[in-house]
Amino acid sequence: MTSSSARDRVVDHGFSVLQKWGIRIVVYAAAAVVLGWVIGHTWMVLYPLAMALVVATVLQPPTGFLRRHGWPDALAAVTVMLSFFALISALVAILAPQVAGQADDVAEGASDGLQQVREWLVTGPFEVTNGQITNAISAVQDKIQDSATQIGSGVFSTIGVATGVIVNLVLILVLTFFFMKDGHKFLPWVRSIGGARVGGHLTELLLRIWNTLGGFIRAQTMVAAIDAIIIGLGLIILDVPLAVPLAVVTFFGGYIPIIGAFVSGALAVLVTLVTNGWQEALIALAIVVAVQQLEGNVLSPWLQGKSMNLHAGIILLSVTAGSSMFGITGAFLAVPVASAVAETLRYLLERVDREAGVVPEEAGPPLEEPGKPVAEQD
């Protein structure tokens, strides 16, 4: 065989492989588009389902504890949910007097701050006159009055949005109750439906994904708690009114990626500005920025990466992709979805390695003989 013919065979083989992978990439891309279309058109169902799963991961451990000690499933679920709402109500009851007691100080500080801004505009480098400021305020008032019709017509759309929020909230609560009450029966049911082979693998995979999701929620809670403690201590040292309520807002804002941290941090800086002055506001801003940088670059990637066995770069890219496609909800759910996909791929690769004899049999059941039925998982 001449060198020319051998070279042609190598080139033909290379193009053949490239053609096969090109077709596969086109098929995968088409499947991804179809999947995105399905998700977009079923989002009204998937959203409350996903949020209920997230809430259930937080409330399931105490529910399982009660069930293991002889409590009926429904009673254990109801007790934990009522206890959770009682805890939230107690927190509101504790914080409400502080907010009410310091509201006058905040309002007075805001009035003084606005007056200082007005004086700075008049005596500062812009040389704005009082008449110009008054005219600007009057223009804003006239604009608001002229927009009364649009504001009134927008009430109906606002009512529609609020109605949708209430419906989703009720649906999330109902689904959470059912997940807590009957969630431990789901894996045995999947195994009975899928059979010994398919059901066994599905049971193992879903159990791993559930544990991964729980790890994500615990890591996110730890990150939010650290942010709230550091920012709260900084505000207390600066003697800022409403320091404790602002720390609580920071904690809950930590569960909403990007917007939650920005809004809670901006609120803390604004309250500091109108009550303590711009010097303390700059210090508060520095604290908030430092904490957010610590969270975004160290705490979240490290803790979530350890709990979900994901690289920090994958987590950051997942949040970016989720927020760009589905907004804030997508940013919040992006990391659990990425971890579920990664866990699925790891499980499939483990099965392939066992079939190929790369890992010892003790590492897990082979593909033809999945593990024994999974006991109740709480």
Side-chain angles (χ1 to χ4, degrees):
M1 181 182 297
T2 64
S3 60
S4 177
S5 60
R7 186 181 298 111
D8 292 341
R9 291 186 60 184
V10 172
V11 172
D12 289 340
H13 177 71
F15 276 108
S16 177
V17 173
L18 183 61
Q19 181 184 29
K20 291 179 181 179
W21 277 104
I23 295 175
R24 292 173 182 174
I25 291 175
V26 171
V27 172
Y28 296 153
V33 171
V34 173
L35 180 61
W37 182 85
V38 172
I39 293 176
H41 284 75
T42 58
W43 186 244
M44 63 179 62
V45 177
L46 295 178
Y47 171 70
L49 179 64
M51 296 305 297
L53 282 173
V54 171
V55 177
T57 58
V58 178
L59 302 181
Q60 185 64 25
T63 305
F65 174 81
L66 295 178
R67 189 164 53 244
R68 288 191 298 271
H69 285 76
W71 288 52
D73 297 340
L75 180 60
V78 170
T79 301
V80 172
M81 291 190 69
L82 291 179
S83 301
F84 176 74
F85 288 125
L87 178 63
I88 298 298
S89 301
L91 185 63
V92 172
I94 293 174
L95 296 179
Q98 298 185 33
V99 175
Q102 297 177 340
D104 293 339
D105 296 336
V106 175
E108 183 179 354
S111 177
D112 294 340
L114 292 176
Q115 183 62 32
Q116 292 177 8
V117 170
R118 180 166 186 153
E119 292 176 358
W120 178 76
L121 290 174
V122 173
T123 61
F126 296 102
E127 298 182 354
V128 180
T129 64
N130 285 317
Q132 290 174 326
I133 296 177
T134 302
N135 292 334
I137 295 175
S138 299
V140 172
Q141 292 175 343
D142 294 339
K143 181 64 177 178
I144 293 176
Q145 292 175 357
D146 294 338
S147 303
T149 304
Q150 290 84 348
I151 294 175
S153 62
V155 170
F156 295 100
S157 62
T158 303
I159 293 175
V161 172
T163 303
V165 170
I166 295 175
V167 171
N168 279 331
L169 181 60
V170 173
L171 187 57
I172 290 172
L173 292 178
V174 173
L175 288 175
T176 301
F177 169 77
F178 285 124
F179 288 154
M180 295 168 57
K181 174 180 175 291
D182 300 322
H184 63 288
K185 303 176 183 177
F186 180 71
L187 292 182
W189 176 78
V190 169
R191 185 177 179 86
S192 65
I193 294 296
R197 185 169 183 266
V198 177
H201 290 298
L202 283 177
T203 298
E204 174 67 17
L205 178 59
L206 291 175
L207 179 60
R208 293 188 183 190
I209 293 176
W210 173 262
N211 292 333
T212 301
L213 181 60
F216 163 73
I217 297 300
R218 288 189 292 270
Q220 193 68 25
T221 301
M222 187 176 298
V223 170
I226 293 175
D227 291 353
I229 291 173
I230 296 177
I231 293 179
L233 288 176
L235 296 178
I236 291 175
I237 293 174
L238 294 175
D239 195 22
V240 177
L242 307 178
V244 175
L246 288 172
V248 174
V249 171
T250 302
F251 173 77
F252 287 105
Y255 287 95
I256 306 176
I258 305 173
I259 297 298
F262 174 79
V263 172
S264 59
L267 182 61
V269 174
L270 179 62
V271 172
T272 306
L273 175 64
V274 301
T275 56
N276 291 40
W278 65 269
Q279 295 92 343
E280 287 80 0
L282 290 178
I283 298 175
L285 177 62
I287 294 174
V288 170
V289 171
V291 169
Q292 292 182 358
Q293 292 298 314
L294 177 66
E295 172 193 347
N297 298 313
V298 179
L299 291 178
S300 291
W302 179 56
L303 291 174
Q304 293 178 358
K306 290 183 64 178
S307 63
M308 293 177 293
N309 195 18
L310 286 178
H311 191 273
I314 296 178
I315 294 176
L316 295 177
L317 290 176
S318 300
V319 172
T320 302
S323 61
S324 63
M325 290 187 294
F326 297 102
I328 302 304
T329 304
F332 177 71
L333 297 176
V335 178
V337 170
S339 63
V341 173
E343 197 65 48
T344 302
L345 294 177
R346 280 193 290 265
Y347 186 79
L348 293 176
L349 290 176
E350 287 179 9
R351 306 277 99 56
V352 172
D353 289 341
R354 290 191 182 95
E355 281 297 294
V358 178
V359 295
E361 288 293 322
E362 290 76 8
L367 187 60
E368 292 82 8
E369 299 178 3
K372 297 179 180 179
V374 179
E376 284 193 0
Q377 301 294 337
D378 292 326

